[in-house]
Amino acid sequence: MKISRFKWALSAAALAMSASAFAAPPTPAMISNACAGCHGTNGASAGPSMPSLAGHNKESIVTAMKKFKSGERPGTVMGRLAKGYSDADFVAMADFFSKQKFHATSQALDAAKVARGKSLEEESCSRCHMESGKEGKDDSPIMASQWLPYLEIQMNQYLSGHRKMPEKMAEKVKPLSKQDLDALLHFYASVK
Amino acid sequence: MTMERRSFLKLMGAGAGLGAASLMTGCAGLGMEGPTGGRRVVVVGGGYGGTIAAKYIRMMDKSIEVVLVERNDHFVSCPFSNLYIGGLMKDLSPLTINYDKLAANHGIKFVQAEVTGVDAGAKLVRTSRGDIRYDRLVLSPGIDFRTEEIKGYNLATTPDVMPHAWKAGPQTVLLRKQLEAMPAGGTVVMSIPLAPFRCPPGPYERASMIAMYLKQHKPKSKIVVLDANPDIVSKKGLFLKGWKKHYEGIIDYRPAKKVTEIDAAKKTVLIEGLEDVRGDVVNVIPPQRAGAIAVAAGLIGPDKNWCPVNPTTFESTLRKDIHVIGDACVAGAMPKSGYSANSEAKSCATNIVNAMNGRELVDMSGINTCYSYLSAKEAVSVTGVYLVDKAKNAIVAAPGSVAVSPDLSELEAIYAESWLKNILTEMSS
């Protein structure tokens, strides 16, 4: 057997496939694939607290990224990461993830809470979280099949004032009890 | 078996997985030594980099044949293995993946074999089960140890007495067993090599996890951390804060203490001939270089340790059609971490597919995140976004993107667990 010897004296330039000088700027897929280590391949999160992005609406992703970057929305890592990207990058990511197949999760959920949530959602939330949370009006995020622990963390951040709730959403959330809100999140997590 | 092969196997510390007998019958062959049809990529190493390179090539182009060669039938993650050492996991199963679903879902040919060499001229990977011809080769070999820099260190025997636990698996289990067997009031000694090494915050997380274990289970014990570096290499402020909060009097951190010699029988490490330190448990993390296969393939650069690569394609600057990703390569500003390897693999895969189809290459946009636990419930992270600087022809951090957590955080510990789940799921399905 022949093992190639240490010969780094060979001309590097002559061997390289191509200098990066000739490469195109990162594509939406290149930018977005880097997110998958946390959010799952193509944005389909394996859970339980990392949110799925696959099939989410473009506007909600762009808004979220902008708010993370400005600090308006609290985050553990997203605020720091968002600083590495431009607004054009945000549009590229949003475009990429919005085109991916919606990720239906199967989570262990309390059936009674799901049923209670279902009875409340139309009246309270469906104006913006439409089609049982499968669609989002303007920049309202998609909540169908989202991981429950993630939704709970976010709702807690709204209720504690950490994350600023949209005014019109706050009007609907305020009158509800903790139990009802919990039931609503169970319902959205259950939607396939 | 020829002399060269035998000495090379010794160099690789092989024989760990496969017995000599199976190595010799390996010549029966895989039927992959003949012509390839021009579209075969062979990926060596089934860890954070290799699995992702194999998967993404197939996701992007099903007409490219991908062969993944790995010596084990499973992989154990180094990230989070410190939590096992600290007693937060009952076994290694949350850290372990296999290749069945990955291979089936994407039509990847998985070959469990020991790679024994690379013939770059003939474009052949030599394995214990026969030769495999490639059009492009991706090496994601991880690290091996520069044990020659520690007098008295024998790679075949020392780790059984003084575990490094810097490759997860049996070594990780051994270190925890030694901690469990240690009497209360004992001393753990841990040594950290000069940077760069795999996982910059890893040793400091390990010190935290061991201290947590001692605090709970071994009263009056302590851990002496001998760091060859002049200071804590990563997340310094956060580690110091966590140590003060939880482990005052348990962690004895000593910077600029380089272990140059060991005496395994006496469980003692020596620091530059000046000072010796004895421990009941001794965790020596030796200095590191690219995995032996990369060294043997002639991919090591002027620093004699790591593999220089093109920042866009991760093709070796020394050997055509061989790409190196993960801890083994020099990825500019990107640290040697699992998340970096994941990002590098995707840039490498994308551009192999582009090159094989005569398409324009695309610069990388990558991310690194490393979570570290300070206690059972608190974690911190460092994050960064990375891109190619054309003028420097190197990977640099996007301005303002590299930063650490503002404080210890319970929420980060919750997200970190999901990070592990997601990245291992991405690698195994």
Side-chain angles (χ1 to χ4, degrees):
Chain A
M1 186 176 90
K2 213 173 137 217
I3 295 167
S4 319
R5 287 263 129 217
F6 185 78
K7 262 194 225 151
W8 66 269
L10 280 170
S11 156
L15 286 176
M17 183 160 86
S18 159
S20 63
F22 300 112
T27 55
M30 177 69 84
I31 297 171
S32 308
N33 284 341
C35 316
C38 285
H39 288 285
T41 304
N42 294 331
S45 170
S49 58
M50 283 290 177
S52 277
L53 304 175
H56 282 210
N57 50 334
K58 234 174 130 167
E59 265 189 85
S60 79
I61 296 177
V62 171
T63 303
M65 294 305 290
K66 285 185 176 166
K67 287 185 177 177
F68 281 132
K69 189 173 179 175
S70 71
E72 184 185 334
R73 179 171 168 185
T76 50
V77 292
M78 287 309 301
R80 286 178 270 148
L81 286 168
K83 290 198 174 64
Y85 299 102
S86 65
D87 283 5
D89 293 334
F90 294 159
V91 173
M93 295 161 186
D95 194 49
F96 177 90
F97 286 113
S98 67
K99 286 181 180 148
Q100 303 305 314
K101 199 171 138 250
F102 171 75
H103 176 54
T105 57
S106 58
Q107 311 179 46
L109 299 165
D110 182 325
K113 286 185 183 174
V114 171
R116 170 82 186 140
K118 190 173 165 59
S119 74
L120 293 167
E121 70 97 15
E122 189 164 341
E123 163 66 24
S124 299
C125 323
S126 67
R127 218 183 101 200
C128 307
H129 302 291
M130 301 176 312
E131 308 290 328
S132 303
K134 283 185 160 178
E135 303 281 338
K137 183 169 176 281
D138 304 330
D139 60 359
S140 313
I142 287 185
M143 294 204 289
S145 254
Q146 190 56 283
W147 290 98
L148 181 63
Y150 172 74
L151 292 175
E152 287 172 343
I153 291 169
Q154 299 307 314
M155 187 51 82
N156 283 337
Q157 291 192 332
Y158 279 136
L159 297 177
S160 68
H162 222 64
R163 181 174 171 188
K164 194 167 156 284
M165 219 183 309
E167 252 167 59
K168 293 266 189 272
M169 175 169 148
E171 279 170 23
K172 296 286 190 183
V173 165
K174 288 261 162 68
L176 294 168
S177 67
K178 271 213 134 170
Q179 284 81 350
D180 284 346
L181 281 172
D182 189 38
L184 278 162
L185 299 186
H186 273 72
F187 165 71
Y188 285 117
S190 77
V191 177
K192 302 238 184 284
Chain B
M1 193 191 287
T2 67
M3 255 333 274
E4 278 161 287
R5 179 180 232 187
R6 196 172 307 149
S7 58
F8 181 63
L9 288 173
K10 211 167 83 197
L11 164 79
M12 291 210 40
L18 292 161
S22 63
L23 283 169
M24 279 188 284
T25 55
C27 302
L30 296 155
M32 292 193 190
E33 68 281 2
T36 60
R39 293 181 82 74
R40 181 188 288 157
V41 179
V42 177
V43 180
V44 174
Y48 275 89
T51 52
I52 297 298
K55 168 171 166 167
Y56 274 73
I57 290 171
R58 291 288 298 174
M59 275 171 52
M60 289 183 270
D61 188 343
K62 285 270 184 285
S63 77
I64 297 175
E65 180 189 1
V66 174
V67 183
L68 175 61
V69 189
E70 158 63 43
R71 63 156 75 100
N72 297 310
D73 65 355
H74 67 281
F75 171 75
V76 184
S77 167
C78 267
F80 269 67
S81 63
N82 287 329
L83 276 71
Y84 171 83
I85 292 169
L88 296 180
M89 276 174 201
K90 76 175 191 312
D91 55 40
L92 293 178
S93 59
L95 308 180
T96 307
I97 58 167
N98 66 38
Y99 304 102
D100 300 349
K101 271 206 256 164
L102 178 76
N105 290 350
H106 301 281
I108 295 164
K109 291 177 184 155
F110 179 73
V111 173
Q112 190 186 346
E114 182 83 39
V115 171
T116 54
V118 174
D119 185 334
K123 290 192 155 187
L124 281 174
V125 177
R126 305 211 181 273
T127 85
S128 54
R129 292 177 58 199
D131 294 349
I132 307 174
R133 194 172 297 273
Y134 64 82
D135 295 299
R136 284 185 184 275
L137 174 62
V138 179
L139 295 181
S140 191
I143 51 142
D144 272 300
F145 298 117
R146 280 148 47 199
T147 55
E148 68 279 7
E149 292 175 23
I150 303 177
K151 209 175 144 198
Y153 198 105
N154 178 340
L155 192 57
T157 56
T158 306
D160 293 342
V161 184
M162 298 180 165
H164 51 73
W166 218 240
K167 296 183 183 189
Q171 277 282 298
T172 317
V173 174
L174 178 63
L175 181 54
R176 171 150 145 190
K177 277 201 180 126
Q178 289 190 351
L179 290 171
E180 285 167 353
M182 187 181 84
T187 299
V188 180
V189 173
M190 176 185 152
S191 77
I192 305 173
L194 274 177
F197 50 79
R198 160 179 281 178
C199 190
Y204 311 100
E205 180 193 57
R206 176 170 295 173
S208 312
M209 289 291 98
I210 291 178
M212 177 188 74
Y213 176 81
L214 298 179
K215 188 174 169 180
Q216 280 173 355
H217 302 284
K218 307 281 168 177
K220 298 203 164 69
S221 302
K222 63 172 185 169
I223 171 168
V224 178
V225 181
L226 303 171
D227 193 343
N229 299 284
D231 207 342
I232 295 175
V233 170
S234 175
K235 305 176 191 165
K236 179 184 167 189
L238 292 164
F239 280 115
L240 290 179
K241 189 165 183 179
W243 292 354
K244 195 168 164 63
K245 178 172 173 189
H246 297 293
Y247 313 120
E248 193 102 90
I250 302 177
I251 298 180
D252 174 357
Y253 175 76
R254 305 182 193 170
K257 299 284 184 193
K258 184 173 166 191
V259 168
T260 48
E261 189 176 347
I262 57 129
D263 186 332
K266 291 190 182 142
K267 293 246 186 131
T268 298
V269 301
L270 287 89
I271 299 155
E272 300 182 286
L274 295 172
E275 184 182 350
D276 52 10
V277 185
R278 207 201 77 85
D280 299 290
V281 173
V282 184
N283 171 209
V284 172
I285 305 168
Q288 295 150 33
R289 67 161 63 90
I293 188 67
V295 180
L299 305 173
I300 299 296
D303 68 4
K304 301 229 167 43
N305 292 323
W306 309 105
C307 305
V309 292
N310 173 298
T312 299
T313 61
F314 291 83
E315 186 177 24
S316 165
T317 54
L318 306 175
R319 289 271 183 277
K320 195 171 166 351
D321 298 329
I322 303 182
H323 303 247
V324 187
I325 55 175
D327 293 344
C329 78
V330 182
M334 292 190 93
K336 296 189 185 301
S337 74
Y339 208 113
S340 292
N342 175 292
S343 260
E344 292 159 20
K346 289 165 181 173
S347 185
C348 175
T350 303
N351 285 308
I352 284 177
V353 172
N354 286 342
M356 283 186 142
N357 290 300
R359 290 198 297 254
E360 193 178 21
L361 302 178
V362 173
D363 272 336
M364 101 160 225
S365 171
I367 291 180
N368 172 56
T369 302
C370 293
Y371 285 107
S372 308
Y373 278 69
L374 272 302
S375 67
K377 284 201 168 142
E378 296 160 304
V380 295
S381 63
V382 59
T383 55
V385 176
Y386 296 87
L387 36 85
V388 176
D389 181 319
K390 299 275 194 196
K392 292 189 181 135
N393 192 32
I395 298 169
V396 298
S401 72
V402 177
V404 298
S405 316
D407 206 342
L408 315 195
S409 158
E410 294 196 10
L411 195 48
E412 287 223 65
I414 291 167
Y415 282 127
E417 256 182 74
S418 287
W419 166 79
L420 180 75
K421 177 146 193 223
N422 270 286
I423 203 160
L424 292 181
T425 301
E426 172 157 77
M427 291 158 66
S428 60
S429 63

